[in-house]
Amino acid sequence: MKKISAAQTASKGYAVGPVYLVKRQELVIERRSISAEETEAEIKRYQAAVETAASQLEQIADDSEIFEAYIQLVQDEALIAGVIGKIKNGSNAEAAVEDAADEFIMIFESMEDAYMKERAADLKDIKKRLQYALAGIEENPFLELKVPSIIVAEELTPSDTANMDFKNVLGFLTEVGGVTSHVSIIAKGRGIPCLTGVKKICTLVEENTVAAMDAGTGEIYLEPEEDVVAEFMKKKAQFEEQERMMEEESKNPSVTKDGRKFMLCANVGNIEDIKDALSSQMEGIGLFRSEFVYMMKKDGFPTEEEQFEIYKEAALLTKEKELTIRTLDIGGDKGLDYFAFEKEENPFLGCRAIRLCLNMPEMFKTQLRALLRASVYGNIRIMYPMLIAVEELDEANRLLAECKKELDEAGIEYRKDVEVGMMIETPSSVMMADEFAQRVDFFSIGTNDLTQYLLAVDRGNESIARLYDSFHPTVLRAIHHVIDRAHAHGIKAGMCGEFASNEKASPILLGMGLDEFSMSAGSIKTVKYRLRNTSYEEAKKLADQVISKSSAKEVKELLEG
Ligand code: PEP
Ligand code: MG
């Protein structure tokens, strides 16, 4: 028996069974120079490969949104232009696809944002599909998957997940791919245990090696002894029972044992996320990260029309439920292909988010107009990120008022009562919560940034990750103060940072009076279960105790106890 314990949880659960090792057919890319006369034929060969790849994807697409996005990627204009350009410069189609796709892959890989980084994997998948289509081969490494197994692979692509028969999938172990990779999302959606970042797993196992995995703790046993198997099977049954029960429970209203209402919302980055979230028990969208609308574009800022269509679709999907759209929060770790940010010593403290938008008023107004126009289709709320001073808020609102005037003059409709709120994610906005609360309709606490700024700990720096702790009394006291000030001025306080989905934190936040918890849709049922089984009166006492503690350690000890 061998134990491995360094892995990242992508989807919790237990699995015991034989390993199915994913083996890939290596495709050697032939490179040759072509003559001017061959150019047209080579372009036709490439175009035929695009059609083949697109029709293969259409066949496996069902109604999966991911594949629709994939088909668009195969037919992406910038990629096609890149490949054709290289063929015209004398490359054969195989080499042109390889090189043009690699250029885009490098751009995605160099992005700091984890979600965008994962899109590089999607492009690699598309590249391979095109290469196979050019070679006239259709690859399916899952043909031999005939019995329920734990899938082990270096990396799994969306095409892989489309090829496999899920009734034979017990779990996933992959070397590469973060928790926002496609396989992680699929695994979470289907409730399949999944661990990523399992170093060298492909070389540690052979076909049919028996493995036992606990995706919650990240433990994996290879060739486990009988007692370990028995223990895992027991835990698996308990876990699945608990999941079923929580799923059922989550259909009940969001009220505590003693009748206090709370609200659970979803964080999203695009239309697909909204569709996914609609199948959870979410009561609204607490955060739509609109920067993804900007990051998906390659050739320039999205136009008013492009944005309007997306926000309108989002509003039509969410209907009367609240749809909180955060205005562009770019800079820091999030870049744009088409915009050259000034080189900064400290980008997280630099010209990001609202600062950049106020520096580029016309660009900002394009978004504000799109949001206002889409507001008539649902219940859009506008939310500004990263504010530190009331002047910034006043300036943003002045631009918003200008947009309203322009729409009035053009006779274009918008909701006159559209709510305007702000993220509380800077220490300054905490200290100025009183003043801000008098000027906005709602607060949403962004603990991801707030923790990094309050503690002066870079949220992305792994070497100091142990210092990044939202249970630090500094953070808890700041949250408490913000909720208190919001309520003093009659506005609601929500939270859309990761902390809102922390099971241990949720009773404290409830006790502090948090009105709205927003998180990735997959976490909603767990938090709902936790809060439905909490008494508000007890949670209030817990919150009081917690904020009087003098260290994160003491807070955690109290919660454990
Ligand atoms: C936050 O900072 O808590 C937040 C929700 O925003 P983001 O993670 O997008 O910075
Ligand atoms: Mg933030």
Side-chain angles (χ1 to χ4, degrees):
M1 181 165 84
K2 186 176 167 64
K3 186 179 170 192
I4 307 167
S5 49
Q8 243 187 317
T9 302
S11 168
K12 284 186 189 168
Y14 295 83
V16 180
V19 156
Y20 183 87
L21 189 58
V22 177
K23 295 197 190 93
R24 314 247 178 223
Q25 231 174 306
E26 268 313 310
L27 201 64
V28 182
I29 306 301
E30 177 217 4
R31 287 187 176 271
R32 75 191 165 81
S33 301
I34 58 164
S35 63
E37 294 80 68
E38 286 175 281
T39 308
E40 206 163 309
E42 208 59 7
I43 291 177
K44 287 226 170 78
R45 215 161 67 76
Y46 162 62
Q47 284 166 337
V50 170
E51 269 171 39
T52 308
S55 80
Q56 283 169 355
L57 286 168
E58 260 156 33
Q59 274 168 28
I60 55 176
D62 308 328
D63 18 53
S64 154
E65 291 291 323
I66 290 173
F67 283 97
E68 278 172 32
Y70 248 54
I71 295 167
Q72 281 169 16
L73 205 53
V74 174
Q75 295 165 333
D76 182 85
E77 276 172 30
L79 181 61
I80 291 180
V83 177
I84 292 183
K86 292 197 189 299
I87 296 176
K88 285 187 177 157
N89 284 338
S91 289
N92 61 328
E94 283 82 355
V97 166
E98 180 81 6
D99 297 343
D102 280 352
E103 284 170 15
F104 285 97
I105 289 166
M106 256 172 54
I107 297 175
F108 280 114
E109 278 178 344
S110 67
M111 291 184 182
E112 293 274 345
D113 183 86
Y115 180 85
M116 294 311 282
K117 254 196 191 12
E118 297 295 351
R119 305 296 60 85
D122 295 353
L123 250 160
K124 282 186 200 160
D125 193 16
I126 296 288
K127 178 176 86 173
K128 234 167 80 195
R129 230 167 227 290
L130 289 168
Q131 306 280 22
Y132 277 105
L134 284 166
I137 312 171
E138 196 175 345
E139 197 212 22
N140 181 356
F142 295 95
L143 288 173
E144 299 304 316
L145 178 63
K146 300 273 164 56
V147 295
S149 311
I150 296 177
I151 312 294
V152 174
E154 197 187 317
E155 187 168 16
L156 289 168
T157 65
S159 303
D160 289 333
T161 47
N163 277 328
M164 63 182 81
D165 182 355
F166 279 100
K167 77 174 184 310
N168 285 333
V169 179
L170 299 172
F172 293 110
L173 297 174
T174 68
E175 293 184 6
V176 184
V179 290
T180 50
S181 67
H182 174 77
V183 63
S184 304
I185 294 166
I186 294 275
K188 237 185 255 160
R190 290 182 174 257
I192 299 171
C194 176
L195 286 168
T196 63
V198 194
K199 296 208 175 72
K200 302 207 178 89
I201 185 70
C202 295
T203 51
L204 294 172
V205 298
E206 285 166 18
E207 199 65 59
N208 295 327
T209 301
V210 173
M213 63 185 278
D214 173 350
T217 61
E219 284 173 327
I220 304 159
Y221 289 90
L222 301 178
E223 301 296 2
E225 273 146 26
E226 258 174 49
D227 55 335
V228 174
V229 172
E231 187 196 322
F232 268 60
M233 293 308 279
K234 197 170 140 207
K235 285 186 178 165
K236 178 172 155 62
Q238 282 168 348
F239 176 82
E240 286 170 1
E241 180 50 34
Q242 169 93 353
E243 286 289 294
R244 254 194 307 277
M245 191 254 304
M246 285 201 288
E247 189 68 54
E248 253 333 284
E249 251 286 280
S250 72
K251 293 177 185 147
N252 292 317
S254 298
V255 279
T256 62
K257 280 202 298 201
D258 48 354
R260 161 104 176 172
K261 286 202 181 95
F262 53 90
M263 189 167 168
L264 294 174
C265 295
N267 290 353
V268 298
N270 55 38
I271 297 290
E272 279 109 70
D273 289 352
I274 297 180
K275 289 182 184 165
D276 281 349
L278 285 170
S279 60
S280 73
Q281 298 296 321
M282 67 88 169
E283 289 149 276
I285 302 294
L287 170 66
F288 181 149
R289 290 182 161 99
S290 75
E291 57 271 21
F292 287 108
V293 173
Y294 289 71
M295 287 155 105
M296 293 319 283
K297 285 269 302 199
K298 295 189 195 72
D299 53 354
F301 286 98
T303 62
E304 181 179 322
E305 222 41 48
E306 284 169 336
Q307 294 193 59
F308 165 68
E309 288 300 332
I310 294 170
Y311 305 146
K312 174 181 165 187
E313 190 177 353
L316 289 172
L317 280 168
T318 46
K319 302 195 180 92
E320 70 287 350
K321 290 195 171 82
E322 72 171 41
L323 167 62
T324 314
I325 305 186
R326 176 172 75 186
T327 61
L328 181 60
D329 182 7
I330 207 75
D333 60 341
K334 300 172 202 150
L336 295 173
D337 290 352
Y338 47 83
F339 180 72
F341 287 85
E342 296 272 330
K343 176 114 191 61
E344 295 177 310
E345 284 291 324
N346 291 303
F348 270 110
L349 304 180
C351 186
R352 57 171 294 203
I354 196 75
R355 301 174 185 173
L356 184 79
C357 289
L358 295 180
N359 274 354
M360 299 174 71
E362 282 314 312
M363 184 275 289
F364 190 34
K365 279 175 68 183
T366 304
Q367 177 171 41
L368 295 176
R369 266 194 308 269
L371 287 168
L372 285 170
R373 284 173 54 197
S375 67
V376 291
Y377 298 95
N379 187 9
I380 287 181
R381 311 196 304 168
I382 297 175
M383 177 160 77
Y384 303 130
M386 279 290 294
L387 294 175
I388 59 163
V390 287
E391 289 90 335
E392 291 169 332
L393 175 63
D394 292 345
E395 180 60 9
N397 279 338
R398 191 184 66 74
L399 295 172
L400 186 67
E402 266 181 33
C403 293
K404 288 183 178 171
K405 189 159 168 268
E406 284 159 18
L407 293 177
D408 284 336
E409 281 163 9
I412 298 171
E413 267 189 81
Y414 62 91
R415 256 178 95 144
K416 302 278 187 285
D417 61 348
V418 65
E419 288 193 7
V420 178
M422 65 181 279
M423 304 234 357
I424 297 282
E425 54 183 343
T426 60
S428 180
S429 61
V430 175
M431 301 303 286
M432 302 297 290
D434 242 319
E435 287 74 8
F436 277 123
Q438 294 167 52
R439 291 167 166 84
V440 292
D441 297 314
F442 62 92
F443 280 164
S444 183
I445 307 172
T447 48
N448 306 342
D449 275 317
L450 186 58
T451 305
Q452 94 163 335
Y453 293 129
L454 279 174
L455 303 182
V457 176
D458 181 345
R459 67 193 254 192
N461 184 339
E462 278 186 29
S463 68
I464 47 168
R466 69 186 170 80
L467 296 176
Y468 182 93
D469 192 347
S470 303
F471 284 103
H472 193 298
T474 297
V475 183
L476 296 172
R477 289 176 198 180
I479 295 169
H480 184 241
H481 173 72
V482 170
I483 298 171
D484 181 59
R485 292 299 84 205
H487 291 172
H489 295 285
I491 65 166
K492 284 195 173 162
M495 180 178 288
C496 59
E498 282 300 303
F499 203 47
S501 66
N502 186 304
E503 259 186 273
K504 294 214 168 88
S506 51
I508 308 175
L509 300 172
L510 176 87
M512 288 180 179
L514 192 74
D515 301 291
E516 179 189 306
F517 299 68
S518 195
M519 62 200 73
S520 63
S523 304
I524 289 179
K525 67 173 185 308
T526 320
V527 174
K528 190 162 190 179
Y529 180 76
R530 180 78 193 227
L531 291 182
R532 276 183 51 81
N533 287 287
T534 302
S535 127
Y536 177 53
E537 284 309 314
E538 280 163 28
K540 273 202 292 197
K541 285 186 204 135
L542 179 70
D544 282 344
Q545 278 177 297
V546 153
I547 46 178
S548 68
K549 294 290 169 199
S550 38
S551 71
K553 186 163 165 273
E554 282 182 23
V555 171
K556 284 177 194 162
E557 277 166 5
L558 175 76
L559 295 176
E560 297 301 332

